[in-house]
């Protein structure tokens, strides 16, 4: 994701890139908490990890500063696909 964001920063609109960077930040927090690492190969992002990542956006989670709407969760999930 970091590679994508660095390569596409000049191509994709700033507002959309903000979303990519935010998703990257949340994904790193998730990985640190659940896998004790801040980086994995894309091939390691499987359905189970997606479920956990989606779970992080549910109310009461302490890894993000605010709880996005279901639509916001789906946008972040879409960024991963």
């Amino acid at each position: 994701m970091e590679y994508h964001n660095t390569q596409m920063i000049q191509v994709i609109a700033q507002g959309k890139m903000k979303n990519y960077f935010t998703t990257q930040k949340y994904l790193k927090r998730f990985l640190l908490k659940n896998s004790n690492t801040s980086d994995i190969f894309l091939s390691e992002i499987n359905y189970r990890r997606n479920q956990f990542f989606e779970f992080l956006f549910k109310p009461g989670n302490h890894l993000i500063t605010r709880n996005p709407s279901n639509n916001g969760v789906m946008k972040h999930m879409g960024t991963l696909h």
Side-chain angles (χ1 to χ4, degrees):
M1 208 168 175
E2 186 173 340
Y3 175 80
H4 169 272
N5 291 349
T6 359
Q7 297 299 311
M8 300 307 284
I9 197 161
Q10 300 298 325
V11 179
I12 298 176
Q14 184 179 0
K16 181 71 173 173
M17 282 307 303
K18 181 180 87 77
N19 296 340
Y20 279 104
F21 285 118
T22 301
T23 300
Q24 179 183 0
K25 175 179 68 174
Y26 292 156
L27 182 57
K28 281 186 176 187
R29 288 180 187 174
F30 165 75
L31 290 172
L32 281 172
K33 181 175 180 26
N34 294 289
S35 303
N36 205 26
T37 184
S38 64
D39 199 12
I40 59 172
F41 291 104
L42 286 175
S43 60
E44 294 179 70
I45 299 178
N46 56 27
Y47 180 71
R48 182 172 171 225
R49 285 195 190 274
N50 281 340
Q51 285 181 314
F52 283 123
F53 188 56
E54 182 179 0
F55 175 76
L56 292 178
F57 290 97
K58 299 303 179 193
N61 177 12
H62 301 288
L63 293 178
I64 58 176
T65 54
R66 59 190 173 114
N67 295 316
S69 65
N70 187 58
N71 186 45
V73 171
M74 292 302 111
K75 286 182 180 182
H76 286 291
M77 295 298 291
T79 299
L80 284 178
H81 294 351

